[in-house]
Amino acid sequence: MIDDVDPLDVPVASAWVTVHGARSGRPVGAGVVVAEGHVLTCAHVVSAALGLPKDHQEAPDDENLARLRLSLPGLGGRFADGAARLVGWEAPREDPRSDRWDGDLALLRIPSAGTPVDFGETELYRTLQTWHGEGGPGTQTDVVVKARIGARWLMFDAEHAAFAVREGFSGAPLWDREAGRAVGLVVSAEGGRPRAYGISAGRVRAFLAVAGLPPQPLGVSAGLGRRECARRGRLLDVLDTLWYALPPERVHWLGRRLAEDLALWSRPGTPEAVAEAVLAHPRGPLVLAHRMGRTNLPDTGRRDLLTALAALGPQRILLPVEYENLCAELGPRGYRDLLMAAGHSGCLVGVPVTTVPDLSALVEHLEARRPRHADTMPHLLRAVEEAAARRGPGGEGLRTWSQSVAARHSVSRKALKECRDSARDRAAGQGEHRPVVRVRLVRAVRPDVYEYEIRAYDGADFQTGSWYSDAPASRDELCGHLAEAVEELEQQVASVDVEFIIEDGDFERPVDRWPVPSAEAGPRAVGLDRPVVLRGRPMKRAALWQERWHQRAGGGHVPLVVYDRAQAERELAVRTDVACVILCCPRERRAPLVGICRQQGVPVVLWCRGEHGGHEERILKPVVGEDWPHQLLGNVRKLRVEAGADEGHPGANLALLWEDPRWSPARWQGTLRTGGHRLGLGQGGGAA
């Protein structure tokens, strides 16, 4: 297992234990090393391995346990030496105080085991990893936390994973790859549905404490450097001083509030328990500062506490209840809506999508980007206001939430108003763009071999993905990436435009005829199913370019038919009302004419590739039509569809230069390359 896992999963791979059936030898579940020589698993996994009913209540005796077989995939798959001893046991049982179950935990001691992992809390919409009991790399599945059920259970699902959690996953740790710790233990799954359940980290820690394995002292936590241990030790020293300075009733109040805020299994009653609970929760330090701020602490004590908490690392800005309320307001499309809003508000420029794969990670990233001034809108609130503006009247709940959090952080009303006004202005123009995939042909190395980069933009002018070639690549490889980009956008929208940015000026290249792979229909010309247009290098005369484009929308949009260079130079130099040119000339004259059109800022140019015996005007004028600004893209595609596979048909040779000045290749700056296929976020857009 350990040789094939992601480097971030090595700690859990080293701690993995597979529980085998005593008779069959097949994996029946998993366990995880939680302390030197101690393995945690589910009680029903032990019972199943021994051939007993899963709801068996009595703890197995030493004779039965001697038949239990545990292997250690992280240590080469060898079986544990010697018999396991039972250290702690809680059979699965129904809680008489509710209709929920409790227990189902077992702690075993074995002579040798892997490296222990820590257990900490998680939050809603966090993506976690878990594996089947055998621990093989091919059994990993990603699950998303959907709800907390009291302080005991987590509900999660694997609806977007390759396969669902099923029998054989019980006892497996729920691994938070980014935090580097386990956050629960898989316990059950619903048949026929992707929903499953886990025992929370707080319940696990409480069980371990009763079994005689309390958390390690903060100053000697496993896996922490000397400096980090010193910071944690400093927090404990400050808490120890403040704790005994508070009246008993305030100590009780603080413990009760922390238990409620952090969904703890029991109320912390000592400074050590408070520190352990705070450090186990991603929002624990913020909650402690918030609650301690409501006690009558001396100024020096409050200052010491805030200093100790700040030394632990970047602090969150949302309390747990605020985060949960945000998730509720965002709803099922919350991740996508907030991701798009963060991009439009400038909070995620240059950030790869892979670093914010779910709502929890996205919120965490935005929280970490703290403003320099106290009264400035935090990045997270800017993104939420953007999302609210794009929902129109339906965003009122998000605005109310944002206003409440802004007030708690002393953000000025002026800053909040300015942020809302900007978001509303951007939202007012969100319908101007069409989803588009842009293909930048950087350099043709030799025929049908290219260096390229592909970027996808959704209908809100937001970059959603990017593909590129590490080295000169074949046209087939380019078309494969183009198909991926188009398919991703077409999961969300019915129509996607494709723009080819031609760096070398060879506009005769028949890119609309390039075949893109399709699982259903086989290779198919990209121009048959979607509008395909050309772009060139950035226009030099940007102001003239903008003016001509404006004429296109303002009524002065009669296309100009150009036959030769002299006419083009004579008329385009004085007629700034021309936004569309139809080229009717032999092939050898076209390249110079295209160059003159671009030099004069003409945004739309149409022509036929190849030779058509002087019939270009007869072919092209009906394609343009009277209302070309709104019909030309559709008419060109219609003629391409009529051509089909007939290379001699005029529709197979249409070339359309369509350069919308709302987006320019000049804005395509730099890339964040992390592999043959990468995803990135940024601003920019506009579409054909």
Side-chain angles (χ1 to χ4, degrees):
M1 177 182 181
I2 199 166
D3 294 331
D4 301 320
V5 301
D6 186 292
L8 296 176
D9 298 333
V10 168
V12 71
S14 302
W16 196 271
V17 176
T18 299
V19 182
H20 299 263
R23 290 186 178 180
S24 67
R26 293 194 300 267
V28 298
V32 63
V33 179
V34 292
E36 182 66 34
H38 287 77
V39 175
L40 176 71
T41 185
C42 292
H44 83 262
V45 170
V46 175
S47 296
L50 298 176
L52 301 170
K54 290 185 178 181
D55 59 352
H56 189 73
Q57 296 295 298
E58 295 181 7
D61 55 28
D62 290 343
E63 183 179 350
N64 266 325
L65 281 176
R67 300 188 296 119
L68 193 65
R69 304 185 69 197
L70 307 176
S71 66
L72 309 168
L75 299 180
R78 67 176 178 82
F79 283 87
D81 300 325
R85 287 198 310 106
L86 192 65
V87 179
W89 176 267
E90 285 194 22
R93 65 184 185 279
E94 191 171 358
D95 187 346
R97 297 169 296 179
S98 68
D99 59 352
R100 298 168 185 157
W101 286 75
D102 192 17
D104 205 358
L105 290 166
L107 183 63
L108 306 171
R109 181 169 180 81
I110 59 177
S112 61
T115 306
V117 295
D118 290 330
F119 272 80
E121 300 296 337
T122 189
E123 55 189 7
L124 298 183
Y125 297 99
R126 187 78 168 180
T127 299
L128 309 174
Q129 290 72 43
T130 193
W131 293 258
H132 185 269
E134 67 185 70
T139 69
Q140 177 194 325
T141 189
D142 292 346
V143 298
V144 178
V145 180
K146 288 300 182 72
R148 295 189 66 97
I149 305 176
R152 306 173 186 173
W153 291 73
L154 299 173
M155 184 178 78
F156 53 88
D157 71 40
E159 59 186 351
H160 300 301
F163 48 84
V165 174
R166 59 189 188 278
E167 188 172 353
F169 276 78
S170 292
L174 291 164
W175 181 246
D176 187 330
R177 180 175 287 164
E178 303 304 322
R181 61 188 181 188
V183 299
L185 212 64
V186 178
V187 69
S188 66
E190 293 187 14
R193 302 180 65 180
R195 182 176 297 169
Y197 299 89
I199 301 172
S200 71
R203 183 68 180 90
V204 166
R205 292 198 310 274
F207 168 75
L208 295 178
V210 171
L213 283 181
Q216 291 181 308
L218 294 177
V220 294
S221 295
L224 297 178
R226 182 180 302 175
R227 182 173 298 179
E228 179 66 15
C229 288
R231 291 169 179 168
R232 292 180 169 218
R234 173 60 179 160
L235 172 63
L236 182 56
D237 291 342
V238 172
L239 277 175
D240 198 55
T241 301
L242 296 177
W243 192 262
Y244 297 107
L246 292 173
E249 62 274 12
R250 296 307 289 172
V251 168
H252 181 82
W253 174 87
L254 180 61
R256 181 164 53 85
R257 289 300 187 188
L258 289 176
E260 293 173 358
D261 294 342
L262 301 177
L264 302 178
W265 177 248
S266 59
R267 179 179 62 84
T270 65
E272 292 80 7
V274 169
E276 191 262 331
V278 163
L279 292 171
H281 196 289
R283 303 186 182 278
L286 175 66
V287 169
L288 179 61
H290 176 68
R291 290 303 181 187
M292 278 291 205
R294 298 192 172 192
T295 60
N296 296 322
L297 292 177
D299 290 343
T300 303
R302 181 177 287 104
R303 223 173 15 250
D304 290 344
L305 176 64
L306 293 178
T307 300
L309 291 173
L312 297 174
Q315 301 298 303
R316 305 294 189 89
I317 68 172
L318 299 185
L319 297 169
V321 66
E322 292 172 335
Y323 174 75
E324 292 175 5
N325 289 341
L326 174 61
C327 293
E329 288 292 345
L330 286 169
R333 288 176 50 88
Y335 170 63
R336 177 171 174 78
D337 286 356
L338 191 62
L339 187 70
M340 292 173 59
H344 283 285
S345 58
C347 299
L348 285 179
V349 175
V351 178
V353 131
T354 50
T355 64
V356 286
D358 54 46
L359 183 58
S360 172
L362 175 58
V363 170
E364 179 181 356
H365 176 86
L366 294 172
E367 286 181 290
R369 301 190 66 180
R370 306 293 291 272
R372 295 182 179 180
H373 305 290
D375 66 342
T376 303
M377 283 289 281
H379 281 70
L380 174 61
L381 300 192
R382 284 171 51 191
V384 170
E385 287 291 341
E386 190 81 21
R390 291 180 174 273
R391 291 185 177 186
E396 193 55 41
L398 285 175
R399 280 185 283 273
T400 301
W401 177 92
S402 175
Q403 186 168 333
S404 172
V405 176
R408 190 172 64 78
H409 285 278
S410 302
V411 176
S412 68
R413 292 183 179 180
K414 178 183 178 183
L416 177 60
K417 182 179 183 303
E418 289 176 350
C419 179
R420 284 186 174 171
D421 290 345
S422 297
R424 283 170 175 154
D425 288 344
R426 284 188 293 270
Q430 66 179 330
E432 297 177 1
H433 305 283
R434 294 165 54 132
V436 61
V437 171
R438 294 194 171 94
V439 183
R440 180 186 179 197
L441 295 180
V442 179
R443 179 168 59 91
V445 181
R446 55 185 183 274
D448 283 340
V449 176
Y450 303 93
E451 292 181 1
Y452 63 88
E453 187 166 7
I454 302 172
R455 295 190 184 186
Y457 296 84
D458 62 19
D461 191 26
F462 176 62
Q463 184 183 320
T464 60
S466 180
W467 295 255
Y468 70 94
S469 60
D470 281 319
S474 68
R475 189 187 71 180
D476 289 343
E477 182 177 338
L478 184 157
C479 289
H481 280 162
L482 175 57
E484 290 180 25
V486 169
E487 286 172 5
E488 283 197 9
L489 280 184
E490 288 181 340
Q491 295 297 318
Q492 307 295 330
V493 295
S495 176
V496 174
D497 296 346
V498 177
E499 298 180 358
F500 281 85
I501 303 169
I502 309 299
E503 290 274 335
D504 59 7
D506 183 5
F507 295 109
E508 291 289 306
R509 190 178 285 120
V511 292
D512 54 283
R513 305 292 293 173
W514 284 2
V516 294
S518 167
E520 295 79 11
R524 185 172 171 84
V526 64
L528 294 182
D529 297 317
R530 52 198 66 86
V532 176
V533 300
L534 306 172
R535 279 182 174 270
R537 291 177 177 273
M539 290 276 199
K540 299 298 184 182
R541 304 174 71 179
L544 182 57
W545 180 26
Q546 292 275 358
E547 183 178 347
R548 289 189 187 277
W549 185 262
H550 178 71
Q551 292 291 339
R552 158 192 173 275
H557 52 244
V558 178
L560 174 67
V561 180
V562 171
Y563 303 96
D564 55 46
R565 179 166 189 155
Q567 177 204 0
E569 291 182 335
R570 182 175 65 251
E571 296 200 39
L572 292 179
V574 296
R575 290 191 55 186
T576 58
D577 62 313
V578 174
C580 177
V581 166
I582 302 173
L583 296 182
C584 298
C585 59
R587 179 171 184 169
E588 65 272 10
R589 297 182 186 175
R590 278 199 295 270
L593 288 182
V594 171
I596 292 172
C597 289
R598 298 196 75 247
Q599 190 271 337
Q600 290 291 337
V602 177
V604 180
V605 183
L606 177 69
W607 69 94
C608 280
R609 295 186 295 263
E611 297 290 350
H612 293 272
H615 300 296
E616 290 86 354
E617 187 171 356
R618 180 178 59 81
I619 295 170
L620 296 175
K621 270 196 169 182
V623 178
V624 176
E626 295 182 0
D627 189 18
W628 72 264
H630 302 98
Q631 297 181 351
L632 181 54
L633 289 173
N635 290 345
V636 167
R637 184 191 160 203
K638 181 179 178 181
L639 200 60
R640 285 170 174 166
V641 172
E642 290 178 4
D646 182 3
E647 295 296 336
H649 192 286
N653 294 283
L654 291 181
L656 177 60
L657 195 70
W658 184 285
E659 302 189 87
D660 182 344
R662 289 176 296 176
W663 184 89
S664 168
R667 292 168 58 186
W668 202 333
Q669 300 293 334
T671 58
L672 295 173
R673 299 189 170 183
T674 58
H677 168 217
R678 67 169 173 78
L679 295 175
L681 298 173
Q683 287 183 288

